[in-house]
Amino acid sequence: MRKLILVGMLASLPVVASAAPEFFTLDPTHTYPHFAISHLGFSTMDGRFDQTSGKVMIDRENKTGSVEVKIAAVSVSTGFQKRDDHLRSADFLNVTEFPDITYKSTKVALKDKEATVEGTLTMMGVSKPVTLKVSAINCGENPMSKKHTCGFRAEGKIKRSDFGIKYGLPAVGDDMELWFEAEGLRD
Amino acid sequence: MMDLLNNPAFQGGVAPFLVALVCALLLSRLGWFWSGLAMMAGYFTTIALTIGFTLAPLTSMRKIIVIAFVATVIGVLRDALASRVQWLSWVVAAFGAFAVLWVIWVVVDRTPGMDGVLLGLGGVAYGAWMAYMYDHLREHREQVAVAASTGGLTTGLAALFGASALLGQMGIGLGMAALASLVSFAGLRRGHAGAVMAVPAGVMIGVIGFASVVYAKLPWYCLPMLALVPLFGRMHPPQSWPTWVQTLVWLAITSAPGLVAVYLTWSAAGPVPI
């Protein structure tokens, strides 16, 4: 009987371990926030930020978690230096005055490999609520680094004018699509 | 109509010119004391059409709007109280220094060591110089209008090449509004500049120029060239020449250092991103 109880306890250990909240640090080499914006109504301009850091917590037992992301505004990149300089200037991101763009979750609803994240995006000194739809939460051991890794994709939309970025409106679009491809390494 | 109002050339060029011209003609009938306000009426038109008058959060760009209002009030007070009291020029210079420092303070505060100190001191020196030099021209309406036109236009063009269209529009808008005043002064022989025009012109051109270095990519070595504009504005063409010839000569003289600054910025930064 004692053996049976012992085996039962041992068998339950992995379950207990996986049910505990897991903490991840975003891998900056595999985490890139992207954006898309209309260029004069002719085409859609894509860009991304090359430097991102942050923390993610996943609590599968309570189907919740948390996200904190910091993006270096100066790392904006669209593949054309002159345009990037313009995006960094006071016309758009004003990176000298506002070097960081941050996102902090306020509520996370986790469901299998998907989640809905409500949070606050702070850009140019303005904080606004932004909801991100998270999909493709894939976790497992990274075959290269042997570290437990979770990857996911998050999508959302904002109006740049809500953050005081009004240059070029309405010719340069107000609506911005955002998407993050991200990976986090378990702490 | 909305397309026109959203056109950057209209916002920074046509609109401030027309508004300033109409205001100059109307205000000159009220007496010399008020006619200098026309330039700032044109400038605020550009502000209204671009970033608007929202002041929260108080970013560096919005601080520029506050400074424009305060500089205008100081100009009015300077004219009303004692335009000939010499020490008031130092008050104006001190305000010009404070204005630049306030706009760039967030960067100065964040820049460690001697770099931050030098940045702050550079801003103070440039702001004080520009405010003092323009204030010194206040009694000479054509001169202050010429220096404000070329100073605003060349600072704005340099900012535009330095990758900030917004600061570029602010400078060009101020220059175009001053140009409208110049048309009224030199062409129609109406109105007077006074400190109400000279003070905001010097303070704003100083702030926009230094902010373009800090918040855009205007090379710092363009600032000494732009600083020569009001100094060159003090040169007198022979007064025996017709007024319009004197005005054209003044425009050419004051444009020269400003255009060098524009060329240097263009050389360093390349064409305007569109």
Side-chain angles (χ1 to χ4, degrees):
Chain A
M1 186 61 185
R2 282 182 182 174
K3 279 185 180 176
L4 194 62
I5 291 171
L6 191 61
V7 168
M9 286 174 69
L10 287 172
S12 69
L13 271 179
V15 176
V16 171
S18 65
E22 294 178 289
F23 294 89
F24 297 85
T25 298
L26 289 178
D27 175 2
T29 61
H30 293 94
T31 301
Y32 294 102
H34 290 74
F35 60 88
I37 190 166
S38 169
H39 178 243
L40 308 177
F42 296 123
S43 65
T44 301
M45 184 71 236
D46 292 352
R48 75 175 194 184
F49 294 90
D50 289 340
Q51 295 166 23
T52 302
S53 59
K55 295 278 187 182
V56 174
M57 185 275 282
I58 298 176
D59 183 351
R60 293 188 190 279
E61 186 179 350
N62 296 307
K63 298 187 183 305
T64 186
S66 66
V67 179
E68 276 190 52
V69 178
K70 187 163 86 172
I71 301 165
V74 74
S75 69
V76 67
S77 172
T78 62
F80 177 44
Q81 181 66 42
K82 188 72 182 178
R83 180 170 50 231
D84 295 346
D85 288 342
H86 192 198
L87 290 174
R88 291 179 189 118
S89 79
D91 292 3
F92 289 98
L93 294 170
N94 197 358
V95 302
T96 313
E97 186 170 3
F98 300 102
D100 298 324
I101 298 169
T102 61
Y103 182 79
K104 188 172 184 179
S105 65
T106 53
K107 184 181 175 185
V108 176
L110 188 64
K111 184 183 177 184
D112 298 327
K113 290 194 167 193
E114 296 179 353
T116 301
V117 180
E118 295 174 22
T120 304
L121 180 67
T122 302
M123 187 163 58
M124 297 274 288
V126 179
S127 297
K128 293 280 180 185
V130 171
T131 299
L132 298 174
K133 294 288 183 189
V134 181
S135 59
I137 303 175
N138 297 307
C139 299
E141 185 182 273
N142 183 318
M144 309 298 285
S145 65
K146 305 298 181 191
K147 290 181 178 175
H148 187 75
T149 303
C150 276
F152 60 90
R153 176 184 174 89
E155 295 176 58
K157 285 184 179 177
I158 62 167
K159 282 187 182 294
R160 65 185 175 101
S161 60
D162 288 346
F163 296 87
I165 308 173
K166 296 179 179 177
Y167 175 76
L169 289 174
V172 179
D174 193 10
D175 295 314
M176 289 182 72
E177 291 179 33
L178 310 174
W179 69 97
F180 296 65
E181 288 288 348
E183 283 186 19
L185 307 178
R186 191 161 66 188
D187 294 340
Chain B
M1 185 62 179
M2 286 308 293
D3 285 346
L4 183 67
L5 294 178
N6 290 323
N7 188 312
F10 182 81
Q11 293 169 335
V14 178
F17 182 85
L18 291 178
V19 169
L21 186 62
V22 170
C23 288
L25 295 177
L26 292 176
L27 291 171
S28 63
R29 294 176 184 278
L30 299 177
W32 70 269
F33 183 81
W34 296 105
S35 56
L37 279 174
M39 183 192 73
M40 290 312 284
Y43 178 72
F44 285 126
T45 303
T46 294
I47 295 296
L49 293 174
T50 52
I51 54 175
F53 293 102
T54 307
L55 296 179
L58 193 58
T59 63
S60 54
M61 294 301 106
R62 288 169 176 151
K63 286 177 182 175
I64 293 176
I65 303 171
V66 176
I67 288 166
F69 274 112
V70 176
T72 307
V73 171
I74 289 175
V76 170
L77 292 174
R78 178 144 173 57
D79 279 334
L81 296 175
S83 65
R84 295 186 186 279
V85 177
Q86 187 56 39
W87 61 266
L88 283 176
S89 292
W90 297 107
V91 174
V92 170
F95 178 70
F98 165 78
V100 173
L101 192 60
W102 188 43
V103 166
I104 66 168
W105 179 251
V106 66
V107 182
V108 172
D109 190 39
R110 200 185 293 146
T111 306
M114 192 51 70
D115 288 349
V117 174
L118 289 175
L119 182 67
L121 287 177
V124 164
Y126 190 72
W129 169 268
M130 295 303 255
Y132 182 86
M133 293 304 292
Y134 275 90
D135 180 64
H136 199 267
L137 298 173
R138 68 188 180 281
E139 301 291 345
H140 312 284
R141 62 182 185 184
E142 282 89 4
Q143 281 172 290
V144 72
V146 163
S149 300
T150 53
L153 287 170
T154 53
T155 299
L157 278 172
L160 192 63
F161 282 115
S164 176
L166 187 56
L167 287 165
Q169 280 181 306
M170 285 186 180
I172 293 169
L174 189 76
M176 290 301 288
L179 199 60
S181 297
L182 180 62
V183 169
S184 173
F185 296 156
L188 306 175
R189 310 299 297 165
R190 276 186 180 175
H192 195 280
V196 73
M197 182 173 180
V199 172
V203 170
M204 297 314 297
I205 290 170
V207 166
I208 293 167
F210 211 88
S212 299
V213 172
V214 174
Y215 296 114
K217 298 198 70 149
L218 182 73
W220 67 267
Y221 48 82
C222 291
L223 294 181
M225 301 309 300
L226 292 169
L228 290 176
V229 172
L231 188 66
F232 283 24
R234 296 171 72 168
M235 293 180 182
H236 277 276
Q239 294 195 334
S240 57
W241 293 1
T243 305
W244 67 271
V245 176
Q246 288 185 47
T247 304
L248 287 178
V249 171
W250 261 321
L251 280 170
I253 291 171
T254 54
S255 294
L259 288 174
V260 171
V262 174
Y263 173 75
L264 291 172
T265 311
W266 177 78
S267 300
V272 179
I274 295 175

